[in-house]
Amino acid sequence: MKLKLFFVVCLLLFSLCISSISSGLTVAEEQKYGKEIFLQIANSVPINNDPYLSLYLQDIKRRLEGVATLPFPITLTVIQTQTINAFATVGGYIYITSGLIAFSETEEELAGVLAHELAHITRRHVAKRVEKEKYINIGMLATMLAGILVGGDAQTSQAIIVGGQAAAQALSLKYSRDDEEDADRTGGIFADRAGYNATGVADFLKKLRVSSRETMIPQYLLTHPYHEERIATIENAWPDSTTKNNTTFYPYLVVRANVLHRPPGSGSKEIWLNKYKQDRDSPINAYGAMLAYMSSGNISESIKVASHIKSPYRNLFMGEALVNGRQFSDAVEVLKYQQDPISKVFLAKAYDGQGNIEMAAKTYRDLLQYGSVFPEIYYRLGMLTGRMGLEGMGHEYLGRYYLEIGRYDLAKTNIEKAINKYGINSREAQDLLKILDLIKKANY
């Protein structure tokens, strides 16, 4: 309920943000409003911070971004919920749910969904809809926020939400069938150019229909359903599209979403343990069992299963199991020659667990390019460099961490401390002063 409510709030914010704008949105305005919506969501619903999901989905996003002409970078956020959903907002922000990942079967399906959302952004469908809607007022937004505040009282919350949902439905109707078909065509082009079979989104939606979970699909699909003719149009448009990327890792991501990111009592752990008992040679089943044992605290069995996984990703899985079992030296030996960013995250944790904070910090520094995608990198590096006596650097990275998660008060405090430690005339301080200036201009 809380998550669905915020989806509605996002739609309301679209209109609220531009109520005083008489012309089209500028790129700067789109980014500003997109950021404000992000902060509302990030501070009100659980964000998934699994390094597997964060870092691997970054690669899919990067491929799609590389074939699109964008006025701003795309920010992809995974929301922790079993709801199957995806949506785009202004400013290049795309949200998908862990439930969508768990429900998908192939990387092509997820890439197709992301490509469709990316198409809405590049074709300015979202921004154009925002520019047209002028009638949602602050009172309505306040009513919706009140619904969130009384979320513990289901009856009161539901009464408050009703009016807002009607308004949200009116907004959704502005997402025309032409826009959806345009996003189908453009999304297919993006997926194909990025090296994916462009019919992936059609496969995903057919699965939704068969599963009877169609009621959980994004709001724009509820307004303009993917009827069979529309799915057929997507498939017929791309008869020769094939996947050229290596997608062999994605099935493990789906298993992870199903085992680690479902609520307690869902039975997913038991399902994968039973699958493993039935077929121990399957690397997918073995990985599911490894995660089930690991999340249940049976670390020794988790390590044992991981050691026998017949997969090119065995060292990564083994390294994670060893880190969770606090067998840090063994984890370092398994992970130190791995080059992928997920392995390096666990290698850094292993070095830290060993007490080798210099190597841990060095490994996290190698991952700085992923800091905006997986902010924990900034946090860990800030804590490590602080322990090393590099106080300026420690406060800087803590400031960058809080900046990414929207805690601007703590970001400002740490950045100011970093400037003081570096010295106002240092190059580092001059760079940080620019960040402080941006925070002040944004009134955060």
Side-chain angles (χ1 to χ4, degrees):
M1 178 65 72
K2 186 178 181 183
L3 181 64
K4 291 178 181 177
L5 184 54
F6 255 91
F7 289 172
V8 175
V9 169
C10 285
L11 292 170
L12 299 179
L13 279 171
F14 289 163
S15 297
L16 176 70
C17 288
I18 51 79
S19 59
S20 61
I21 298 173
S22 59
S23 59
L25 293 175
T26 65
V27 169
E29 286 168 340
E30 280 200 49
Q31 289 182 298
K32 178 178 183 292
Y33 303 143
K35 184 70 170 182
E36 289 175 359
I37 293 166
F38 169 78
L39 293 176
Q40 289 277 352
I41 294 173
N43 289 318
S44 305
V45 299
I47 302 299
N48 183 287
N49 293 310
D50 187 324
Y52 279 73
L53 274 59
S54 299
L55 296 173
Y56 190 77
L57 295 187
Q58 171 68 9
D59 281 342
I60 301 176
K61 178 182 78 76
R62 176 181 51 78
R63 293 189 186 109
L64 293 169
E65 279 183 303
V67 299
T69 302
L70 295 161
F72 29 62
I74 297 298
T75 300
L76 175 62
T77 302
V78 180
I79 298 172
Q80 181 64 34
T81 174
Q82 294 312 296
T83 302
I84 300 172
N85 218 325
F87 60 96
T89 68
V90 291
Y93 289 83
I94 295 178
Y95 303 84
I96 64 171
T97 63
S98 57
L100 188 151
I101 298 169
F103 184 77
S104 66
E105 290 183 3
T106 67
E107 189 168 322
E108 290 87 348
E109 291 176 4
L110 182 71
V113 172
L114 291 181
H116 186 99
E117 298 300 331
L118 187 62
H120 278 306
I121 292 172
T122 58
R123 300 292 290 172
R124 298 201 76 247
H125 296 153
V126 181
K128 288 175 183 176
R129 180 172 55 152
V130 169
E131 290 162 4
K132 292 178 182 178
E133 303 299 340
K134 310 282 185 178
Y135 56 84
I136 301 298
N137 57 35
I138 293 176
M140 183 172 289
L141 177 61
T143 299
M144 296 304 300
L145 292 174
I148 296 166
L149 294 174
V150 299
D153 181 346
Q155 185 175 356
T156 306
S157 179
Q158 184 62 40
I160 291 173
I161 292 168
V162 169
Q165 285 180 331
Q169 186 177 15
L171 284 171
S172 292
L173 290 172
K174 302 299 180 182
Y175 226 15
S176 71
R177 186 177 297 276
D178 287 342
D179 284 349
E180 288 305 326
E181 291 175 353
D182 187 18
D184 288 344
R185 289 189 296 270
T186 306
I189 292 170
F190 290 161
D192 184 69
R193 288 179 179 173
Y196 291 105
N197 186 329
T199 64
V201 69
D203 293 337
F204 181 80
L205 292 161
K206 282 193 294 186
K207 236 176 61 176
L208 274 175
R209 292 176 72 85
V210 171
S211 71
S212 299
R213 297 181 73 177
E214 199 172 14
T215 56
M216 302 177 73
I217 62 180
Q219 195 69 62
Y220 60 77
L221 297 184
L222 291 177
T223 307
H224 302 294
Y226 270 83
H227 48 72
E228 293 301 330
E229 181 182 348
R230 191 171 172 192
I231 292 173
T233 299
I234 297 172
E235 293 176 325
N236 292 336
W238 300 99
D240 301 318
S241 183
T242 58
T243 296
K244 305 173 185 66
N245 301 316
N246 180 357
T247 61
T248 56
F249 188 77
Y250 190 77
Y252 297 102
L253 211 67
V254 174
V255 173
R256 193 174 183 89
N258 274 288
V259 177
L260 298 186
H261 302 301
R262 286 195 181 278
S266 63
S268 58
K269 295 176 185 177
E270 291 75 12
I271 289 172
W272 284 99
L273 289 174
N274 287 332
K275 286 185 176 184
Y276 178 60
K277 291 175 182 177
Q278 293 169 12
D279 183 3
R280 294 175 180 267
D281 291 329
S282 165
I284 300 296
N285 291 350
Y287 181 62
M290 183 206 96
L291 293 177
Y293 283 127
M294 187 173 71
S295 60
S296 299
N298 192 342
I299 302 300
S300 60
E301 197 63 29
S302 175
I303 294 172
K304 179 181 176 181
V305 172
S307 67
H308 293 98
I309 294 178
K310 300 173 183 176
S311 166
Y313 310 108
R314 173 193 167 279
N315 283 357
L316 166 60
F317 304 152
M318 184 71 178
E320 180 185 9
L322 289 166
V323 168
N324 275 277
R326 304 186 64 79
Q327 298 182 31
F328 300 119
S329 295
D330 290 339
V332 167
E333 290 304 310
V334 168
L335 293 168
K336 65 182 180 181
Y337 297 116
Q338 302 297 112
Q339 298 303 312
D340 64 279
I342 303 174
S343 293
K344 286 184 175 293
V345 166
F346 288 103
L347 175 61
K349 291 182 179 182
Y351 279 132
D352 190 10
Q354 270 187 329
N356 190 344
I357 60 175
E358 289 81 6
M359 282 302 296
K362 178 182 181 303
T363 306
Y364 279 123
R365 276 195 292 268
D366 292 342
L367 292 167
L368 279 175
Q369 62 180 305
Y370 300 102
S372 61
V373 178
F374 187 55
E376 184 183 317
I377 292 167
Y378 287 141
Y379 180 81
R380 299 264 183 176
L381 187 54
M383 297 300 289
L384 285 166
T385 50
R387 285 160 57 191
M388 293 165 64
L390 304 172
E391 294 183 57
M393 192 176 294
H395 284 299
E396 175 186 349
Y397 287 119
L398 286 177
R400 293 183 183 276
Y401 166 73
Y402 288 118
L403 192 64
E404 289 297 332
I405 66 171
R407 293 295 308 275
Y408 291 103
D409 53 339
L410 293 174
K412 184 173 178 290
T413 297
N414 277 281
I415 290 172
E416 287 173 343
K417 288 181 179 179
I419 291 170
N420 182 55
K421 292 295 181 180
Y422 280 134
I424 192 67
N425 294 319
S426 67
R427 178 182 57 80
E428 293 88 349
Q430 293 303 307
D431 290 339
L432 293 176
L433 282 169
K434 294 175 184 177
I435 295 176
L436 272 185
D437 189 50
L438 290 174
I439 293 175
K440 291 174 182 176
K441 285 181 178 178
N443 294 318
Y444 291 135

